[in-house]
Amino acid sequence: MNCKSHYTHASKFLSVLMLVGLISGCQTIQTTQPGVVGVTRSQTIMGNHDQSARDMNQESALAYKTTIGDAQKKNQLNPDRAEAERVRRIANRLIPQVVVFRPDARNWAWEVNVIESKDINAWCMPGGKIAVFTGLLDQLKLTDDELAAVIGHEMSHALREHALERKPRVVAAQVGTIGLQLGGAALGYDIPPELANSVSMAALALPNSREQESEADRMGLELAARAGFDPRAAVTLWQKMGQAGGSEPPKILSSHPPSAERQAELRTTSQLVMPLYEEARRNGAGR
């Protein structure tokens, strides 16, 4: 057997060992409470959940700090003070509602910033690190209700720890440094060099599954409704998303594809949470 063949067999053997260890070291848990929208799916998390979550939150905070620092150096951080205040005002109405799904998230170190970019995009990293791009605001001309639907959706990915749930896919696929860096760039955040080989950061760069997207849709609408934002705006939001960009659709649609089925689900869910919205309005939310 030549050296190259020996190396190939050794690599395959190590991959099998990694997968065996991965399967044996997973936990099945519930990251969130169901809420009115009834998200009850059990999730498989690699390793010890609490430690894995802490590690991912710490690495996400570092990546967020790097992204925000880079935007600041380029004078791209919160370029319009009034717009940044608007985004934060909406997010700050949504954040208290997270206790419905997981009480501990109310105490996360939430941060909300606007980054100047033509990209139509927004995201929320694990641990509550939110970024909204000016392209989303300027090109789609979102109402407050529509913007709340975007932010609530992204927050829900973090609440459900969808990135942490994707870590086994990274290990199984053995995602390399180059793919991680490109993935991070596509989503609009910077990967610090010291995290270039991080499994957590690679998981963060992977797209969400359709099931994860559906969960974030439903939970995001409940967050919005409880905060006094009209949940029906989610339908017009995704209609605007689908119409934007012409031959080059917004980056956000690569992981959040609109469809007739999705819009139908949004309409159904919005009707389910309408009583929460009406109650919040009666209690003075948004006034």
Side-chain angles (χ1 to χ4, degrees):
M1 183 182 294
N2 60 36
C3 291
K4 182 177 181 180
S5 177
H6 179 77
Y7 176 78
T8 300
H9 283 283
S11 296
K12 289 180 178 178
F13 179 69
L14 288 173
S15 296
V16 171
L17 288 180
M18 288 175 65
L19 288 174
V20 171
L22 174 64
I23 293 169
S24 63
C26 288
Q27 281 185 283
T28 300
I29 64 168
Q30 282 282 359
T31 57
T32 56
Q33 298 171 8
V36 168
V37 293
V39 174
T40 58
R41 178 178 63 90
S42 296
Q43 296 166 272
T44 300
I45 304 296
M46 187 173 71
N48 177 272
H49 169 259
D50 292 344
Q51 184 60 53
S52 295
R54 282 194 295 269
D55 291 344
M56 176 161 275
N57 289 354
Q58 289 173 0
E59 292 181 11
S60 295
L62 179 56
Y64 187 78
K65 182 179 179 181
T66 300
T67 298
I68 296 304
D70 184 61
Q72 193 166 31
K73 289 176 184 177
K74 297 176 181 176
N75 294 317
Q76 296 173 340
L77 184 64
N78 301 314
D80 183 327
R81 180 177 295 182
E83 195 70 282
E85 290 177 354
R86 175 191 175 220
V87 171
R88 285 174 175 155
R89 183 172 63 252
I90 291 171
N92 287 337
R93 282 173 55 185
L94 293 168
I95 290 170
Q97 313 309 321
V98 300
V99 297
V100 171
F101 295 112
R102 52 181 304 169
D104 66 303
R106 184 67 181 88
N107 297 320
W108 285 358
W110 293 90
E111 293 185 55
V112 184
N113 283 285
V114 176
I115 297 175
E116 184 176 358
S117 170
K118 293 181 180 179
D119 292 337
I120 298 175
N121 205 2
W123 39 258
C124 179
M125 286 184 170
K129 308 302 184 184
I130 298 171
V132 174
F133 291 11
T134 55
L136 180 72
L137 304 170
D138 298 340
Q139 296 183 50
L140 299 191
K141 308 298 182 185
L142 300 183
T143 65
D144 285 1
D145 294 318
E146 291 169 338
L147 185 52
V150 175
I151 298 175
H153 176 98
E154 299 302 331
M155 287 170 57
S156 297
H157 281 307
L159 294 173
R160 281 291 282 171
E161 300 185 39
H162 284 152
L164 189 61
E165 189 179 13
R166 293 194 297 270
K167 284 182 70 172
R169 288 168 52 194
V170 176
V171 176
Q174 295 179 307
V175 174
T177 301
I178 294 177
L180 166 58
Q181 291 173 334
L182 291 177
L187 291 177
Y189 55 80
D190 301 317
I191 301 297
E194 60 268 40
L195 297 182
N197 291 309
S198 164
V199 173
S200 293
M201 290 296 97
L204 194 60
L206 287 176
N208 294 294
S209 69
R210 181 65 190 90
E211 190 168 38
Q212 290 174 333
E213 284 299 313
S214 177
E215 290 174 349
D217 278 347
R218 291 153 63 195
M219 290 172 59
L221 285 185
E222 181 162 344
L223 291 176
R226 288 182 180 276
F229 294 104
D230 190 339
R232 294 169 295 189
V235 177
T236 58
L237 162 69
W238 291 109
Q239 288 172 344
K240 287 182 178 181
M241 290 280 196
Q243 295 165 1
S247 60
E248 294 187 10
K251 286 182 180 178
I252 196 171
L253 294 188
S254 64
S255 58
H256 302 69
S259 66
E261 179 185 358
R262 185 173 197 170
Q263 291 185 26
E265 290 176 356
L266 288 169
R267 289 190 181 94
T268 299
T269 304
S270 66
Q271 291 304 310
L272 178 65
V273 299
M274 274 300 288
L276 299 176
Y277 165 65
E278 293 165 352
E279 180 182 3
R281 298 297 291 179
R282 284 195 299 270
N283 292 334
R287 294 177 189 169

